[in-house]
Amino acid sequence: MRIIVLIKHVPDTWEERVLDPATGRLDRSASERVVDEITERALEAALALKDSDKSIEVVALTMGPGESTGAIKKALSMGADSGIHLVDDALAGADAMTTAATIAAALRDAGADLIIAGNESTDGRGGMLPAMLAEHLGLPALTFISDLVVEGGRVRGERATETATSVVSAALPAVVSITEGMPEPRFPSFKGIMGAKKKPVASHSLADLGLAADATPRAASVVLSCEPRPGRTGAEPIVDDGSAGQRLADYLAQQRLV
Amino acid sequence: MTAALVHIELTADGAPTDAAAELLGAATVLGEPVAVITVAPGSDTAALVAALGRAGAARVVVAEAAEVGSVIATPQVSALAAAIDREQPSVVLLAHSVDGRDVAGRLAVRVGGALAWDAVGVTRDGDRVVAAHSVFGGAYATTSTIEGGLPIVTVRPGAIDARAAAVEAPAVERLTVEVSGAAATIESSTPVRPSGRPELRTAKVVVAGGRGLGSPEKFALVEQLADALGGAVGASRAAVDAGYIDHAAQVGQTGTTVAPDLYIALGISGAIQHKAGMQTAKTIVAINTDASAPIFEVADFGVVGDVFTVVPQLLDALQSRRSA
Ligand SMILES: Cc1cc2nc3c(=O)[nH]c(=O)nc-3n(C[C@H](O)[C@H](O)[C@H](O)COP(=O)(O)OP(=O)(O)OC[C@H]3O[C@@H](n4cnc5c(N)ncnc54)[C@H](O)[C@@H]3O)c2cc1C
């Protein structure tokens, strides 16, 4: 079985993340890039399956600029067998439609039995790419699932929406997106880090994927404006001297909040 | 006026979710609000249509599809694609919910539209639909539009205040939809039971607890204060990870974004990822034993103190205020 895990390099959520006001795009120089934790969990899900069946091959795929090779290296050092990097200058600032079309083109002939992604990235927060890929590829999608079992050629998981919690399943091949309910990712071992250097990484441009730079989807999302909003400043906190509960009640009443 | 199609999600009881009124309210400024519901063939939709009329639907497209409820997203996608074909709308609005996102993503690929997601406002500027977004926990306000295709916009629940005027008897058009596309099967489903509390995403008051609460039993204090204030219960990721409460209560970067009138953080340190989900609240109150906790940087009223002494006193004070 071949599992392709979609990983994403994102600005570190521990730092202040900065948009370029002129373009509304990420200011790449402003913050450190890390592998989005939810995509590390997606990789963990694949590696956990591989732990119990060594014949499973795990491939880490990312789309991003040159520096995103760092994300693939991390995935390889955690235990992925190989990497695929989709990289092309024409993809700078790609919207969801272009991203989905590009990744779908790379997946189309990649022979994946299972494609695992995070449910939503910490920078884009769209949470739609897995469904879009499934639509492009004509595959079922088990989205936002918080556990994952592969058995008898089917994948199954629990999916919580705002209105119901369901058990959902599909025959392989399928697209899956996982939530934070899935286990935390493992750390790369020393052996993993050393071994990662020898693992193959394929790099594909749009032309390699048979997509001309102008053959990306016609409809596109365009940023019109981008304004930073003033940060918040807190008031000096009071130290409880035995009356803080009372004082808080008074404050809430004054503010007409109770 | 061209149609602004609104995808209506239904609860397990077959009623529209709270998002319906917000989406129809948003749709009125964009075009003629036309609700699309996807139901099993032969369903009685009279009550549903009346409810959508009250929420402002000028017309209702009732799409009948055999697989509704037994597969994820494709019946609704096929219904919307058919409705788009017929109505030639200028925009499609959906809730930025779990199901709404699946439907929107597939629909955009299927009909060659493009996406604007998690909008906190929508307006029309000439021919263009403009979506407003709140990015990185409210650190940026951005606007976007769609060029070259049908705008498919998901709207953040609770963000739209506008409501459409009620429509007495909306015209109903029925469609029979052939569902296409491979889909995951829904094997079994348990409806979310109503908690009796307001919904986290749209509540006016949120009381959230963190790791400082110490145990699932002691987390009850958070619920007690929430109930005293008529608010929703929230939590930090650490509290969710520790099993004090369900993930649905998580506020923050990877949880729910809330913007209530009042947010009370109990035993929450205020990590940047937590703040990303609550720092646009109108008033923030924090109680924490650690004077250097970052939550105080955003709190309008901070108490350096123990939640287990401060909150009971607060509850008593609220109680005596009420009985006074
Ligand atoms: C990619 C990513 C996404 C994340 N997403 C989220 C998210 O969506 N939401 C989120 O919350 N976090 C998120 N986090 C985690 C975040 O970094 C913090 O770990 C988390 O918010 C900490 O939760 P906490 O404040 O409850 O716990 P802690 O940081 O452990 O804080 C507990 C606090 O309780 C106080 N305390 C202890 N006892 C008492 C008492 N008796 N009375 C009063 N105060 C007391 C302590 O002083 C301390 O400040 C994310 C992290 C990453 C990397």
Side-chain angles (χ1 to χ4, degrees):
Chain A
M1 185 163 76
R2 187 172 160 92
I3 304 176
I4 299 188
V5 180
L6 307 184
I7 56 173
K8 188 175 186 192
H9 229 190
V10 295
D12 195 343
T13 59
W14 284 108
E15 296 175 33
E16 189 189 345
R17 293 170 290 174
V18 181
L19 295 180
D20 175 350
T23 62
R25 290 184 197 169
L26 272 175
D27 181 345
R28 291 185 178 277
S29 60
S31 48
E32 194 70 32
R33 305 233 126 198
V34 296
V35 181
D36 207 349
E37 188 197 76
I38 196 67
T39 67
E40 288 189 352
R41 285 185 204 238
L43 178 59
E44 176 60 41
L47 295 174
L49 292 171
K50 185 180 169 81
D51 287 342
S52 54
D53 177 356
K54 293 282 175 260
S55 72
I56 292 176
E57 183 196 354
V58 177
V59 182
L61 182 150
T62 198
M63 180 183 121
E67 73 200 44
S68 311
T69 46
I72 294 185
K73 267 200 203 107
K74 173 92 187 276
L76 297 177
S77 64
M78 286 170 70
D81 298 297
S82 63
I84 299 174
H85 186 188
L86 311 181
V87 52
D88 197 307
D89 289 344
L91 288 170
D95 75 342
M97 296 304 290
T98 296
T99 302
T102 306
I103 296 178
L107 290 171
R108 196 158 280 124
D109 301 313
D113 300 291
L114 188 57
I115 296 157
I116 311 182
N119 62 335
E120 124 183 345
S121 64
T122 48
D123 58 349
R125 296 210 71 177
M128 297 181 193
L129 189 80
M132 296 169 83
L133 292 174
E135 185 69 22
H136 270 294
L137 299 169
L139 295 179
L142 270 64
T143 51
F144 297 84
I145 63 171
S146 56
D147 69 355
L148 184 154
V149 177
V150 177
E151 211 173 46
R154 285 186 84 78
V155 55
R156 179 171 285 105
E158 189 174 287
R159 178 175 186 264
T161 68
E162 291 78 359
T163 54
T165 301
S166 308
V167 175
V168 295
S169 74
L172 301 179
V175 176
V176 160
S177 82
I178 57 111
T179 70
E180 265 183 2
M182 293 289 288
E184 282 178 27
R186 65 192 63 188
F187 289 105
S189 64
F190 179 70
K191 201 171 137 231
I193 294 167
M194 297 314 289
K197 300 194 173 90
K198 294 192 270 321
K199 291 176 176 173
V201 178
S203 175
H204 300 309
S205 66
L206 284 174
D208 296 337
L209 297 173
L211 296 174
D214 57 1
T216 49
R218 209 165 43 86
S221 159
V222 181
V223 177
L224 296 174
S225 69
C226 172
E227 304 256 349
R229 282 210 293 227
R232 227 183 151 106
T233 25
E236 187 61 34
I238 63 165
V239 178
D240 183 22
D241 58 0
S243 68
Q246 183 62 53
R247 287 168 72 185
L248 176 50
D250 296 342
Y251 171 81
L252 294 176
Q254 254 166 36
Q255 301 292 315
R256 302 185 183 287
L257 290 164
V258 286
Chain B
M1 191 161 47
T2 59
L5 285 192
V6 174
H7 169 61
I8 304 295
E9 283 181 38
L10 303 176
T11 65
D13 307 332
T17 61
D18 293 343
E22 299 180 18
L23 294 170
L24 288 164
T28 45
V29 301
L30 302 176
E32 182 196 20
V34 177
V36 181
I37 54 174
T38 313
V39 297
S43 302
D44 176 5
T45 52
L48 194 47
V49 168
L52 292 170
R54 283 193 297 278
R59 287 186 287 129
V60 179
V61 175
V62 177
E64 299 194 331
E67 292 85 346
V68 174
S70 60
V71 297
I72 298 176
T74 52
Q76 290 79 8
V77 173
S78 302
L80 284 167
I84 289 167
D85 210 32
R86 185 164 151 149
E87 299 283 342
Q88 299 293 312
S90 56
V91 62
V92 181
L93 298 179
L94 309 89
H96 193 72
S97 59
V98 167
D99 281 328
R101 289 192 265 179
D102 271 17
V103 173
R106 279 189 181 267
L107 184 67
V109 171
R110 193 170 293 190
V111 304
L115 293 156
W117 59 58
D118 201 16
V120 295
V122 284
T123 49
R124 178 173 282 295
D125 173 18
D127 283 348
R128 297 199 297 201
V129 170
V130 177
H133 313 269
S134 174
V135 180
F136 292 157
Y140 291 88
T142 68
T143 58
S144 72
T145 191
I146 302 299
E147 289 178 354
L150 178 65
I152 296 172
V153 184
T154 64
V155 178
R156 181 180 295 184
I160 306 284
D161 294 326
R163 292 292 179 273
V167 174
E168 183 82 45
V172 175
E173 281 136 85
R174 290 195 169 261
L175 291 178
T176 303
V177 173
E178 192 77 34
V179 178
S180 59
T185 304
I186 301 171
E187 293 185 356
S188 63
S189 203
T190 317
V192 173
R193 335 177 236 112
S195 66
R197 298 196 178 99
E199 220 204 314
L200 177 61
R201 294 186 296 181
T202 51
K204 294 262 178 271
V205 176
V206 174
V207 181
R211 182 146 48 193
L213 270 297
S215 72
E217 295 72 38
K218 293 191 199 156
F219 197 85
L221 187 66
V222 177
E223 292 162 17
Q224 240 180 305
L225 183 56
D227 291 341
L229 296 170
V233 173
S236 70
R237 184 165 95 171
V240 170
D241 285 350
Y244 300 171
I245 188 160
D246 199 63
H247 174 76
Q250 184 174 318
V251 170
Q253 173 68 56
T254 46
T256 299
T257 302
V258 298
D261 293 340
L262 173 63
Y263 187 87
I264 302 186
L266 304 177
I268 292 177
S269 62
I272 189 166
Q273 298 92 351
H274 186 78
K275 289 195 276 189
M278 46 67 77
Q279 65 195 356
T280 61
K282 287 205 187 79
T283 299
I284 296 174
V285 170
I287 305 175
N288 195 306
T289 43
D290 176 7
S292 63
I295 192 74
F296 291 127
E297 293 162 13
V298 296
D300 303 292
F301 192 98
V303 177
V304 180
D306 188 326
V307 291
F308 298 107
T309 56
V310 179
V311 175
Q313 189 179 70
L314 169 63
L315 285 165
D316 283 345
L318 292 172
Q319 180 67 41
S320 41
R321 205 167 260 289
R322 219 148 273 160
S323 36

